[in-house]
């Protein structure tokens, strides 16, 4: 168990909540970039309303419009949220998870209860609901019911209520008259509240007086309302669910809601209203079960509710498209959500000049469409936006068979003009953005891109994008012989046919346009790498060269032919991520020679043993920071930060020791201007403020932050706008050397201590900087207050 403290991340008016940005923190801090619109649960209490997605949640204070993001970055211990519940007695928000975990949020702090998650119970440990009675929470779990004393923060009892004490999935719990009811997957179970031992299955009975076809469930939601017990039978048939009125002597069908998908019911605090959300609308009833309100939208936007709570004559709704919604009457309302992308997908990312774009698509294992329609996310000046088929007519595409632009597989930002960016679809071709708006689509009708050979008419696949040093955009255009294309900076197009070197396998993925002019292209599905040299003459193919690299000595020397990531470091070396770790081409300029170019794996010493760097990891992403260090993402082990030569591990982040929401890393990109490292994961995007930024061409010592350094500050002190690997000396005013370091890219870090690790005294300190060759120097000063 652990307690945490709240760090408010965002405050703004609710008048424009979807434009809320969050400030970047100091070096070594994290911030989330999760989507907050796909809400699964809502709770209200303590003057605030809470809305959760599976990954994070936020609070909203209606009178002031204040919003606080709540995630693993500050208060939560986990991801995979399954719901929220408010305990009025304690003023506590209970966050429950699909793996059995619990977080208790109260008075700006949190306490983790991992008892269920850590228990030896086999099978489904999910917490599906929480029913409150005083300080006691009754948790409906995948195996039964767990009784938790929230005041003492301890589990009191575990009830296995199935036949012979077997496990049964409990979806909802309610106290009705003198009984406790549990809606389960296999029936409606009931026990007398006054029983001495509710942990004994003999005190629980299954209601058998329900309609014969429904007696064995599943039931998903319960409510005690107007002296009646309402229980919903979840049907798999197209006509929908059946809401039953269970009385002492009879069971009736509530015909007004017959045929609807009835979600979690809610009874208002005064007991006068029953709220029943459905897949696309919400009904409200009085104690006589007379309909008093019906809502199918909010301000001309259709409902997609998951839960709804009564607040006076209004509703608070968790909506899968809009986040938190305040429904204020028939087709009236507004939504609230922190700024973020619309969906968690982050297959590939690209950044330049302060602009970042995210590809949200993917393909199946055989590289056919998976039909992801989440579009393109983009992030600039601290604000996320998403263009997809639901908010942009442009993203409906031009192919009638598609219905929308599917599977955005690659993105690239123009390094000379960050207002221009491109996204490649595995179907529609190449999309161009200008000023963060879709501008045009390039396909076989208006460019050199080719249709898929033998595919549907008009189907144009893009596998990878990369700008070269001249500003030309290189494109892989798989499943046709002319599978490499280029859009030059001047706007002309040309394609290239590798010929027999590919043995008619024209499947190509990511592409890297290296600084020496060579194009390095991943060949998916265990086919190694294709290297292409246009000879510096795009218009002429007479000097073009192609070479396939594989795991054979003299032909690439890769550890395996399964390649997933490729990057060029600041020394021009090519780093390759495979399903057997990392390999490096130290002499990439020799790749077209007969020998002397094979990739090498890095040997490291660990615990006295010599082993190959990450040889058991599937490396899915590689990014190079301003200090030439490598950020390496893996399929199942999180992120590794290794030194420039790869021989030292400088940091490792995973689900356990960091706010990473998943150990499955899909992509990594770095904002070189401020050192922020963005990680695309299976559960969304999160970023970390690193200590390295891109180096400049001259030392300017432009900024020291913080300056002055106040007595209560214990974090790093940064000196920026330096040449990479500059020598930095810090002295007192008498010229005595206090500290010496080397800049990480364009930034040097001082922790405010002398060379022996002792904190320095109050005073003015001088900073002297020179590059490795002594060609460019600068100096500045800072004040330290103790």
């Amino acid at each position: 168990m652990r307690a945490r403290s709240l760090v408010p991340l965002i405050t703004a008016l609710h008048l424009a909540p979807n434009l809320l940005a969050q400030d970047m923190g100091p070096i070594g801090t994290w911030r989330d970039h999760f989507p907050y619109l796909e809400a699964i649960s809502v709770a209200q209490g303590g003057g605030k309303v809470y809305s959760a997605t599976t990954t994070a949640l936020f609070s909203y204070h209606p009178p002031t419009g204040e919003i606080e993001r709540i995630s693993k970055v500050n208060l939560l211990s986990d991801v995979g949220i399954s719901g929220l519940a408010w305990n009025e007695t304690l003023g506590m928000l209970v966050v429950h998870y699909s793996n059995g975990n619990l977080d208790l949020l109260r008075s700006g702090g949190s306490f983790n209860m991992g008892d269920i998650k850590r228990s030896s119970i086999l099978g489904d440990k999910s917490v599906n609901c929480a029913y409150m009675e005083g300080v006691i929470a009754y948790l409906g779990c995948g195996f039964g019911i767990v009784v938790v004393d929230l005041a003492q923060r301890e589990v009191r009892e575990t009830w296995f209520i199935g036949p012979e004490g077997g496990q049964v999935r409990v979806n909802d719990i309610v106290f009705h008259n003198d009984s406790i009811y549990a809606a389960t997957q296999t029936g409606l179970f009931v026990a007398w509240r006054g029983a001495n031992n509710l942990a004994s299955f003999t005190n629980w009975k299954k209601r058998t007086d329900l309609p014969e076809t429904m007696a064995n469930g599943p039931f998903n939601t319960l409510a005690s309302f107007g002296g009646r017990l309402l229980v919903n039978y979840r049907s798999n048939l197209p006509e929908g669910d059946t809401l039953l009125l269970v009385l002492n002597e009879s069971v009736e069908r509530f015909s007004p809601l017959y045929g609807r998908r009835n979600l979690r019911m809610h009874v208002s605090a005064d007991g006068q209203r029953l709220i029943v959300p459905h897949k696309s609308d919400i009904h409200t009833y009085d104690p006589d079960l007379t309909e008093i309100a019906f809502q199918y939208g909010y301000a001309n936007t259709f409902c997609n509710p998951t839960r709804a709570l009564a607040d006076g004559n209004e509703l608070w709704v968790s909506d899968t498209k809009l986040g938190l919604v305040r429904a204020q009457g028939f087709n009236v309302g507004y939504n609230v959500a922190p700024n973020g992308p619309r969906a968690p997908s982050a297959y590939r990312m690209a950044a330049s000049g302060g602009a970042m774009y995210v590809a949200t698509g993917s393909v199946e294992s055989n590289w056919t469409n998976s039909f992801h329609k989440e579009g393109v996310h983009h992030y600039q000046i601290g604000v996320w936006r998403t263009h997809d088929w639901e908010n942009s007519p442009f993203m409906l595409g031009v192919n009638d068979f598609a219905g929308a632009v599917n599977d955005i597989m690659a993105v690239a930002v123009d390094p000379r003009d960050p207002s221009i960016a491109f996204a490649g679809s595995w179907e529609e071709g190449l999309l161009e953005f200008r000023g963060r708006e879709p501008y045009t689509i390039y396909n076989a009708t208006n460019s050199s891109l080719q249709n898929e050979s033998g595919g549907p008419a008009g189907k144009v696949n893009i596998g990878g994008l990369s700008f070269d040093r001249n500003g030309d955009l290189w494109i892989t255009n798989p499943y046709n012989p002319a599978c490499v294309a280029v859009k030059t900076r001047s706007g002309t197009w040309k394609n290239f046919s590798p010929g027999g070197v590919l043995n008619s396998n024209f499947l190509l993925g990511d592409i890297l346009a290296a600084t020496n002019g060579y194009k390095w292209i991943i060949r998916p599905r265990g086919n190694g790498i294709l290297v292409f040299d246009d000879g510096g003459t795009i218009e002429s193919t007479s000097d073009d060269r192609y070479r396939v690299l594989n795991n054979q000595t003299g032909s690439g020397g890769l550890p395996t032919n399964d390649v997933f990531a490729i990057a060029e470091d600041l020394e021009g070396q090519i780093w390759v991520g495979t399903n057997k770790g990392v390999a490096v081409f130290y002499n990439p300029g020799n790749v077209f020679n007969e020998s002397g170019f094979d990739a090498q794996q890095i040997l490291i010493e660990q615990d006295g043993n010599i082993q190959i760097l990450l040889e058991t990891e599937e490396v899915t992403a590689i990014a190079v920071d301003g200090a030439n260090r490598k950020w390496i993402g893996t399929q199942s082990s999180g992120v590794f930060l290794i030194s420039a030569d790869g021989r030292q591990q400088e940091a490792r982040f995973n689900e356990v020791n960091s706010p990473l929401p998943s150990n499955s890393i899909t992509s990594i990109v770095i904002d070189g201007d401020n050192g922020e490292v963005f990680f695309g994961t299976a559960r969304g995007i999160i970023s970390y403020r690193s200590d390295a930024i891109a180096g400049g061409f001259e030392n300017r010592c432009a900024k020291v932050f913080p300056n002055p350094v106040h007595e209560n500050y214990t974090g790093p002190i940064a000196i920026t706008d330096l040449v990479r690997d500059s020598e930095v000396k810090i002295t007192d005013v008498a010229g005595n050397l206090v500290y010496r370091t080397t800049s990480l890219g364009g930034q040097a870090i001082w922790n405010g201590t002398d060379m022996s690790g002792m904190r320095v005294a109050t005073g003015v300190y001088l900073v002297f900087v020179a590059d490795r060759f002594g060609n460019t120097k600068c100096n500045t000063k800072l004040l330290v207050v103790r």
Side-chain angles (χ1 to χ4, degrees):
M1 299 181 182
R2 59 174 174 165
R4 306 179 75 178
S5 296
L6 175 66
V7 180
L9 296 180
I10 186 166
T11 302
L13 294 177
H14 75 265
L15 297 177
N18 288 318
L19 297 181
L20 300 179
Q22 53 176 328
D23 294 331
M24 183 171 56
I27 292 169
T29 59
W30 295 77
R31 59 176 175 167
D32 78 76
H33 302 272
F34 298 143
Y36 285 90
L37 295 176
E38 297 180 350
I40 63 162
S41 188
V42 61
Q44 184 180 17
K48 295 182 178 180
V49 186
Y50 298 86
S51 175
T53 69
T54 58
T55 308
L57 62 111
F58 68 93
S59 69
Y60 173 62
H61 186 233
T64 64
E66 180 184 22
I67 288 178
E68 291 174 339
R69 296 171 182 252
I70 302 173
S71 71
K72 283 185 70 177
V73 170
N74 51 2
L75 284 178
L76 301 187
S77 66
D78 213 338
V79 293
I81 298 170
S82 56
L84 304 174
W86 179 260
N87 185 280
E88 185 64 30
T89 303
L90 297 174
M92 175 185 291
L93 180 71
V94 176
V95 184
H96 52 86
Y97 297 85
S98 58
N99 62 2
N101 215 350
L102 290 179
D103 281 329
L104 313 180
L105 277 58
R106 184 184 183 192
S107 302
S110 68
F111 186 85
N112 174 242
M113 287 188 66
D115 303 63
I116 301 173
K117 178 181 177 181
R118 294 191 303 266
S119 72
S120 59
I121 296 172
L122 299 178
D124 182 4
K125 297 183 182 180
S126 63
V127 180
N128 307 310
C129 66
Y131 184 86
M132 301 296 175
E133 279 281 299
V135 300
I136 305 299
Y138 296 84
L139 307 179
C141 301
F143 53 84
I145 297 174
V146 175
V147 184
V148 176
D149 186 328
L150 297 176
Q152 299 299 317
R153 298 186 294 200
E154 64 181 17
V155 173
R156 280 193 176 180
E157 293 182 301
T158 300
W159 302 343
F160 294 95
I161 67 174
E164 305 302 320
Q167 294 188 15
V168 61
R169 178 184 173 92
V170 177
N171 297 315
D172 202 2
I173 299 170
V174 73
F175 285 24
H176 178 66
N177 296 333
D178 62 354
S179 300
I180 305 175
Y181 282 86
T184 81
Q185 288 295 102
T186 58
L188 178 63
F189 287 79
V190 59
W192 178 47
R193 292 178 63 175
N196 290 329
N197 182 17
L198 287 171
S200 173
F201 71 92
T202 58
N203 285 315
W204 289 85
K205 305 298 179 183
K206 182 176 177 179
R207 290 287 296 253
T208 58
D209 56 340
L210 305 180
E212 183 177 353
T213 58
M214 304 178 189
N216 293 322
F219 297 100
N220 69 310
T221 182
L222 294 165
S224 177
F225 181 64
R228 307 174 182 87
L229 176 69
L230 291 86
V231 56
N232 188 67
Y233 172 75
R234 171 50 54 88
S235 172
N236 292 322
L237 299 177
E239 55 264 28
D241 298 350
T242 300
L243 186 61
L244 302 174
L245 306 180
V246 182
L247 308 176
N248 290 334
E249 303 296 333
S250 63
V251 177
E252 302 174 3
R253 298 189 186 207
F254 185 52
S255 57
L257 294 188
Y258 180 79
R260 291 182 177 271
R261 304 294 282 179
N262 301 317
L263 306 177
R264 185 65 56 82
M265 293 182 284
H266 169 74
V267 177
S268 61
D270 60 7
Q272 297 303 300
R273 291 200 291 166
L274 173 71
I275 316 300
V276 188
H278 316 294
K279 185 177 180 180
S280 57
D281 50 45
I282 305 168
H283 276 91
T284 302
Y285 296 90
D286 68 13
D288 294 326
L289 293 182
T290 300
E291 181 182 309
I292 58 175
F294 171 62
Q295 184 136 5
Y296 65 83
Y298 341 93
N300 298 315
T301 302
F302 289 115
C303 291
N304 295 277
T306 52
R307 290 202 65 181
L309 307 178
D311 181 17
N313 293 322
E314 301 177 346
L315 301 177
W316 288 108
V317 184
S318 54
D319 190 285
T320 60
K321 301 291 185 181
L322 299 171
L324 176 64
V325 176
R326 189 163 198 172
Q328 299 173 300
F330 182 76
N331 199 30
V332 179
Y334 64 87
N335 76 306
V336 180
N339 179 246
R342 285 175 61 89
S345 309
Y347 180 74
R348 293 290 184 267
M349 300 188 293
S352 181
M356 184 173 75
Y357 278 69
V358 181
T360 64
S362 68
V363 288
E364 301 296 335
S365 59
N366 62 353
W367 280 70
T368 58
N369 280 94
S370 57
F371 300 103
H372 284 279
K373 305 179 188 297
E374 288 86 350
V376 180
H377 309 316
H378 37 100
Y379 182 66
Q380 204 165 0
I381 57 174
V383 176
W384 282 99
R385 294 173 59 191
T386 297
H387 280 92
D388 62 19
W389 69 277
E390 292 187 284
N391 62 18
S392 172
F394 185 96
M395 300 300 289
L396 293 173
V398 297
N399 288 325
D400 292 337
F401 66 83
V405 174
N406 285 311
D407 296 321
I408 300 294
M409 295 286 290
V411 283
V413 180
D414 191 330
R416 302 188 181 192
D417 185 353
S419 69
I420 298 175
F422 295 86
S425 163
W426 195 262
E427 181 185 76
E428 289 278 355
L430 183 68
L431 287 68
E432 181 176 353
F433 287 77
R434 294 191 178 184
R436 304 188 72 177
E437 293 292 334
Y439 177 72
T440 192
I441 297 179
Y442 298 102
N443 53 35
T445 67
N446 59 357
S447 72
S448 65
L449 296 172
Q450 301 294 301
N451 293 331
E452 178 181 318
S453 299
K459 188 174 190 294
V460 179
N461 304 312
I462 303 297
L465 301 171
S466 181
F467 277 97
D468 66 16
R469 60 187 177 184
N470 299 317
D472 302 324
L473 178 64
W474 290 89
I475 307 156
T476 59
N477 178 205
Y479 289 148
N480 79 87
C483 51
V484 179
V486 63
K487 178 183 181 295
T488 68
R489 184 157 185 82
S490 63
T492 60
W493 284 84
K494 186 173 179 59
N495 54 14
F496 302 84
S497 302
V501 70
L502 296 181
N503 294 321
S504 300
N505 181 353
F506 304 122
L507 175 59
L508 302 178
D510 293 321
I511 182 171
L512 166 69
T515 54
N516 68 353
Y518 295 176
K519 270 61 73 175
W520 294 70
I521 303 170
I522 294 176
R523 301 184 67 204
R525 305 188 71 187
N527 288 289
I529 295 172
L530 172 68
V531 183
F532 166 45
D533 173 26
D534 62 28
T537 57
I538 290 176
E539 66 282 355
S540 172
T541 60
S542 61
D543 55 356
D544 291 356
R545 296 184 292 177
Y546 301 91
R547 182 157 196 171
V548 170
L549 306 180
N550 55 37
N551 62 349
Q552 301 299 310
T553 301
S555 296
L558 292 168
T560 171
N561 287 330
D562 287 303
V563 177
F564 302 106
I566 194 164
E568 182 180 23
D569 74 6
L570 302 183
E571 304 296 337
Q573 299 169 352
I574 303 297
W575 289 64
V576 178
T578 77
N579 67 343
K580 292 185 178 180
V582 175
V584 185
F585 288 91
Y586 290 104
N587 300 295
N590 295 337
V591 72
F592 289 101
N593 297 343
E594 292 301 317
S595 62
F597 65 88
D598 274 359
Q600 305 293 317
Q601 290 185 280
I602 298 171
L603 297 178
I604 60 173
E605 182 178 346
Q606 187 168 357
D607 300 326
N609 300 315
I610 302 299
Q611 61 187 55
I612 296 173
L613 175 68
L614 302 176
E615 67 174 326
T616 62
E617 300 291 346
E618 182 173 308
V619 174
T620 54
I622 303 174
V624 180
D625 70 13
N628 206 27
R629 302 176 303 182
K630 282 71 184 179
W631 293 82
I632 298 178
T634 66
Q635 173 61 34
S636 58
S637 298
V639 177
F640 297 82
L641 172 61
I642 61 175
S643 59
D645 62 6
R647 299 188 183 278
Q648 293 183 343
Q649 178 180 305
E650 299 192 3
R652 182 184 178 186
F653 301 122
N654 55 38
E655 295 175 10
V656 176
N657 70 1
S658 78
L660 271 181
S662 170
N663 284 335
S664 179
I665 308 301
T666 58
S667 51
I668 303 176
V669 72
I670 300 173
D671 185 335
D673 291 341
N674 57 36
E676 191 168 15
V677 185
F678 293 83
F679 305 105
T681 80
R683 290 182 177 269
I685 301 170
I686 194 166
S687 65
Y688 174 78
R689 179 76 181 277
S690 173
D691 52 4
I693 65 174
F697 295 103
E698 62 176 334
N699 283 311
R700 297 194 297 135
C701 298
K703 184 177 181 181
V704 178
F705 181 83
N707 189 13
V709 181
H710 293 289
E711 60 273 14
N712 58 350
Y713 182 77
T714 59
I717 302 162
I719 304 105
T720 63
D721 268 11
L722 309 181
V723 175
R724 179 165 67 96
D725 295 337
S726 288
E727 182 182 36
V728 179
K729 295 179 181 179
I730 298 173
T731 74
D732 60 22
V733 291
N736 299 307
L737 181 65
V738 174
Y739 193 79
R740 170 184 285 170
T741 189
T742 300
S743 69
L744 295 169
Q747 178 172 263
I749 300 298
W750 180 38
N751 57 10
T753 66
D754 59 23
M755 299 298 288
S756 64
M758 300 294 293
R759 295 185 71 188
V760 298
T762 296
V764 174
Y765 292 86
L766 308 180
V767 181
F768 300 92
V769 179
D771 70 2
R772 288 175 292 177
F773 309 103
N775 294 327
T776 173
K777 304 177 182 179
C778 67
N779 59 78
T780 188
K781 59 186 176 181
L782 71 154
L783 172 63
V784 175
V785 180
R786 297 300 187 199

